[in-house]
Every structure is written in structure tokens, then in C-alpha cells.
Amino acid sequence: FKVAQLQRVAFRRELPEKPGVGLDLVMFDSVWSDPQDGKGIGSNARGDAIVSFGPDVTKRFLKAHNFRLLVRSHQVPDSGSGY
């Protein structure tokens, strides 16, 4: 996906449990996809609709958008706040 697509997603809503179309698919993939050790895009043990992506995919995304770092985090602490 492109950063411009991510910027158009309304993230302040319930998380989708299955992929949709258009921006709903962008939101689903950005929230549920997982990194993998292997190259490319692959299947995910958490379900058929969830993809895994390799370091080559991350490097390509960083280069395409002139980024140096990508921080991936979606674990909410038990207290509901903090890091």
C-alpha cells in the first residue's frame, strides 16, 4: 500500500475481523498483517485472510516512501494506556 492510502483510512472505529474492499482492506491489512522471516508475502497461521510479509517487502516500502524506520506495534497494555 501507499502512505497516501493509509492517510485516508478512518482508524478510529472498530477493528475489522475480515478483509473488506478499498480502504477497508487497507485498514485490515495494516492492522492484522504480520512480519515473517522469509521473503515476499505469505500465508499466516492466524487465518487465510491475514498475510505475512518479509523484510524485502518492508525495505521496498521504506525506500518507496523515503523512510528510514517503520515501527510496528498494536499490543495494548493490560492497563489500557502507556507503551
Side-chain angles (χ1 to χ4, degrees):
F1 295 108
K2 304 277 186 212
V3 170
Q5 290 172 298
L6 289 170
Q7 291 173 327
R8 294 185 1 232
V9 174
F11 281 100
R12 293 188 178 250
R13 61 183 173 135
E14 287 198 29
L15 295 175
E17 294 184 19
K18 58 184 179 179
V21 295
L23 293 179
D24 287 339
L25 178 61
V26 173
M27 180 177 183
F28 182 86
D29 281 347
S30 67
V31 171
W32 297 117
S33 297
D34 294 315
Q36 67 181 12
D37 292 331
K39 290 184 177 182
I41 295 175
S43 60
N44 191 301
R46 293 189 300 128
D48 292 337
I50 301 172
V51 299
S52 296
F53 55 93
D56 59 318
V57 175
T58 302
K59 287 178 186 174
R60 196 167 47 246
F61 179 84
L62 293 173
K63 185 175 182 177
H65 297 288
N66 200 28
F67 293 159
R68 294 184 311 160
L69 177 69
L70 175 68
V71 177
R72 180 186 172 274
S73 175
H74 64 256
Q75 296 270 163
V76 177
D78 291 336
S79 67
S81 64
Y83 301 98

